[in-house]
Amino acid sequence: MRLTTDLKILLADLNEDGVLVTVEQKLEAGENPFGIIEELRNGMTIVGDRFERQEYFLSELIMAAEIFRKAMGVIEPKLGGEGSEKLGTVAIGTVQGDIHSIGKDLVATSMKCAGYKVIDLGVDVSPERFVTAVKETGANVLGMSTLMTFGLEPMKLTVKSLIGAGLKGKVKVIIGGSPIFGDPKTWVNEVGADDWGGDAVDAVRKVKELISFDSGRRI
């Protein structure tokens, strides 16, 4: 039986060695790096579909994101400083006082897979750093994550800081993390966010919706 060389299927099937070898071969053959990235994105789309159908679970989603990250590490030196067309810019981080990163990393990687420029601010990010990042990057969306209940207060302070800086009307805010899942609508309203993401796949969908309505039609 012949093994597939279809990059999107290799990624969707979580075949790390197959993905990395195929990426190397395609680059050596002179294929367009951006075309290779698009194949990888298509593979992540399949992973997302399988996750939504509960054929894959969080562990598979994390594994796929890690394979994508490693493949991008091989491709990026070949990009020559060029930029691909981006759907928008997303600044993302785990809020002040919280050093958990897995959920945030997964969302950030999924955003990159979907074609967004991602500014990853890391963990333990203060409201001031979030605001500065939005100012400096012109981000369309600000994503905040927390695994701890106390992380909701820094989220509220960040939104207040955005309002104080006159940025709230220019950037959409999406929040995520286990404390929010029990009553997300209440917490979205409490924080002053625009939406919330239940998982990485849902977050990508919500960001697409938020950016589509960033003319101010969505409240």
Side-chain angles (χ1 to χ4, degrees):
M1 179 176 162
R2 186 182 176 188
L3 296 176
T4 183
T5 57
D6 187 330
L7 194 52
K8 69 177 183 294
I9 298 302
L10 288 168
L11 179 53
D13 289 345
L14 309 177
N15 185 336
E16 180 177 333
D17 290 341
V19 167
L20 297 179
V21 168
T22 302
V23 166
E24 290 276 13
Q25 290 174 341
K26 286 177 175 288
L27 290 171
E28 289 174 3
E31 290 196 25
N32 187 326
F34 293 115
I36 299 172
I37 293 171
E38 189 60 31
E39 291 182 62
L40 291 169
R41 287 177 184 160
N42 291 337
M44 287 299 291
T45 297
I46 296 172
V47 170
D49 290 341
R50 292 178 181 177
F51 179 76
E52 289 192 320
R53 295 196 299 267
Q54 296 187 336
E55 296 172 14
Y56 277 177
F57 299 95
L58 182 60
S59 58
E60 286 82 8
L61 209 56
I62 292 171
M63 187 181 300
E66 179 64 11
I67 294 171
F68 181 90
R69 186 190 66 80
K70 290 182 179 179
M72 286 300 298
V74 176
I75 296 169
E76 283 173 354
K78 306 293 185 181
L79 297 179
E82 299 175 27
S84 59
E85 182 179 354
K86 294 292 180 181
L87 300 176
T89 299
V90 179
I92 188 170
T94 303
V95 299
Q96 189 169 42
D98 193 337
I99 60 171
H100 293 91
S101 65
I102 290 178
K104 182 269 299 175
D105 290 347
L106 188 54
V107 172
T109 300
S110 297
M111 293 294 176
K112 290 178 184 177
C113 295
Y116 296 96
K117 180 179 179 180
V118 175
I119 310 298
D120 190 342
L121 301 173
V123 300
D124 191 20
V125 182
S126 68
E128 293 77 17
R129 281 184 61 208
F130 277 123
V131 171
T132 298
V134 172
K135 284 181 179 177
E136 293 180 347
T137 66
N140 306 90
V141 175
L142 175 63
M144 294 186 286
S145 172
T146 186
L147 196 65
M148 314 300 292
T149 303
F150 65 71
L152 295 167
E153 189 61 28
M155 287 183 175
K156 289 191 268 185
L157 291 174
T158 299
V159 172
K160 288 180 181 178
S161 297
L162 288 170
I163 293 170
L167 294 171
K168 185 58 178 69
K170 300 176 182 178
V171 62
K172 298 296 184 181
V173 177
I174 184 169
I175 59 176
S178 55
I180 295 153
F181 298 161
D183 192 0
K185 290 184 179 179
T186 295
W187 283 116
V188 165
N189 291 331
E190 182 77 14
V191 167
D194 295 284
D195 217 328
W196 70 288
D199 52 55
V201 175
D202 185 48
V204 171
R205 183 187 304 112
K206 297 288 181 59
V207 164
K208 182 178 180 180
E209 292 172 359
L210 290 171
I211 289 180
S212 295
F213 286 92
D214 69 359
S215 63
R217 289 175 292 167
R218 182 182 176 118
I219 299 175

